[in-house]
Amino acid sequence: MSPELIYVTGASRGIGAMIAYELAQRGFQVGCLSRSGDRPHVGDVSEETAARWHTAACDITDGEALKDAMSRLRGELGIPVRGLVNNAGLHTEVPTIDLPMDEFRRLMDINAVSLLRACQIVHPLLKENGGGLIVNIGSFYDKLGVKRNVSYCASKAAVGAITRCLAVEWARDGIQVIDVAPGYIATDLNREAMESGPLREYLEKRIPRKKPGAAKDVAVLVSSLFQEGMAFLSGETIYIDGAQSVSI
């Protein structure tokens, strides 16, 4: 396989870091984009894997900075762009009656507007390569009614809609667009809350397997979408939530 570049936003921690790891393990060169510009935090990795990570610091809400970071990495590596994983995002919660509209707009801007802008930026790079794949990281909250989460639920529902529209519009350019929507996933940022106390008790009752998923679960799914023979899969939302959202 000739070397190809895949960008991952929010690649320094959590799910994004593990996605960057799994993609590198599959032989891809990975443009690791994050606010900090740090390499992915996934513990010990081989030198061969780490050599496939190429970091760049940028704020995903700054379209010009994101475009510059993508262009710089592509120029430095001089290889075709195979895809983009829009992983960066934010979760907040507040009673809806107290929700400031500025806070609602902020979450929509980070989780939906910036995601769409990233897709626009990468489109010509994928088209130039004869096509490619964009994976948007949504959430199973996109189809649920969750107290105190109207901003997050709305923003992730927008991710699903953006995915469907782009998949249809950009199919002629050979570009697939897929929404991967995780449920509760334990990461280094939230593991303590998910493994003890009220949240753990709730998850044991609601998730059929009685525990949350791991970042690796999502990363393996995302990286597998970049394998050969997957070109007919596009426009779909793939839920990875341990069957929680369909359990009664």
Side-chain angles (χ1 to χ4, degrees):
M1 180 179 69
S2 60
E4 293 178 302
L5 173 62
I6 299 174
Y7 301 108
V8 180
T9 67
S12 63
R13 304 293 295 270
I15 293 173
M18 189 56 69
I19 291 172
Y21 172 77
E22 290 294 331
L23 288 171
Q25 286 284 90
R26 287 179 177 265
F28 291 105
Q29 301 295 317
V30 185
C32 302
L33 308 173
S34 66
R35 187 185 296 271
S36 67
D38 293 343
R39 60 177 265 174
H41 294 272
V42 293
D44 294 331
V45 299
S46 68
E47 291 184 7
E48 182 181 10
T49 297
R52 298 192 182 108
W53 287 337
H54 310 278
T55 62
C58 65
D59 183 345
I60 62 163
T61 63
D62 184 338
E64 288 305 312
L66 183 59
K67 184 176 182 179
D68 288 346
M70 287 185 175
S71 297
R72 178 173 62 80
L73 289 176
R74 180 174 179 267
E76 290 175 355
L77 295 172
I79 58 176
V81 177
R82 174 71 173 83
L84 164 68
V85 180
N86 274 312
N87 166 77
L90 179 68
H91 174 261
T92 63
E93 61 177 65
V94 63
T96 303
I97 193 66
D98 300 322
L99 175 66
M101 287 301 98
D102 284 348
E103 178 66 16
F104 181 81
R105 293 187 185 96
R106 183 171 78 101
L107 217 65
M108 291 297 292
D109 185 45
I110 293 172
N111 292 350
V113 177
S114 297
L115 176 146
L116 176 57
R117 179 59 180 143
C119 292
Q120 291 176 321
I121 293 169
V122 83
H123 172 273
L125 303 179
L126 297 178
K127 184 177 179 180
E128 179 182 314
N129 192 34
L133 171 62
I134 297 171
V135 178
N136 297 320
I137 303 300
S139 168
F140 79 142
Y141 272 27
D142 66 357
K143 61 179 180 178
L144 301 179
V146 186
K147 297 176 182 178
R148 303 167 57 94
N149 274 264
V150 68
S151 298
Y152 187 72
C153 291
S155 68
K156 291 303 184 178
V159 170
I162 290 168
T163 297
R164 291 187 291 273
C165 291
L166 297 187
V168 172
E169 187 172 349
W170 292 353
R172 63 187 179 186
D173 299 320
I175 297 173
Q176 303 162 256
V177 191
I178 298 171
D179 177 17
V180 170
Y184 284 99
I185 304 296
T187 71
D188 56 334
L189 303 177
N190 62 21
R191 181 168 288 105
E192 183 176 350
M194 286 198 183
E195 294 183 350
S196 62
L199 180 56
R200 176 56 188 265
E201 295 175 5
Y202 169 79
L203 297 180
E204 286 181 349
K205 294 177 181 178
R206 289 294 300 125
I207 302 176
R209 63 182 297 211
K210 299 189 180 301
K211 61 180 181 179
K216 186 176 179 66
D217 295 323
V218 181
V220 168
L221 171 59
V222 170
S223 63
S224 72
L225 297 174
F226 286 91
Q227 67 184 324
E228 295 298 325
M230 300 290 283
F232 203 53
L233 177 59
S234 192
E236 294 296 327
T237 294
I238 302 174
Y239 293 98
I240 177 168
D241 62 3
Q244 179 179 349
S245 62
V246 296
S247 176
I248 59 173

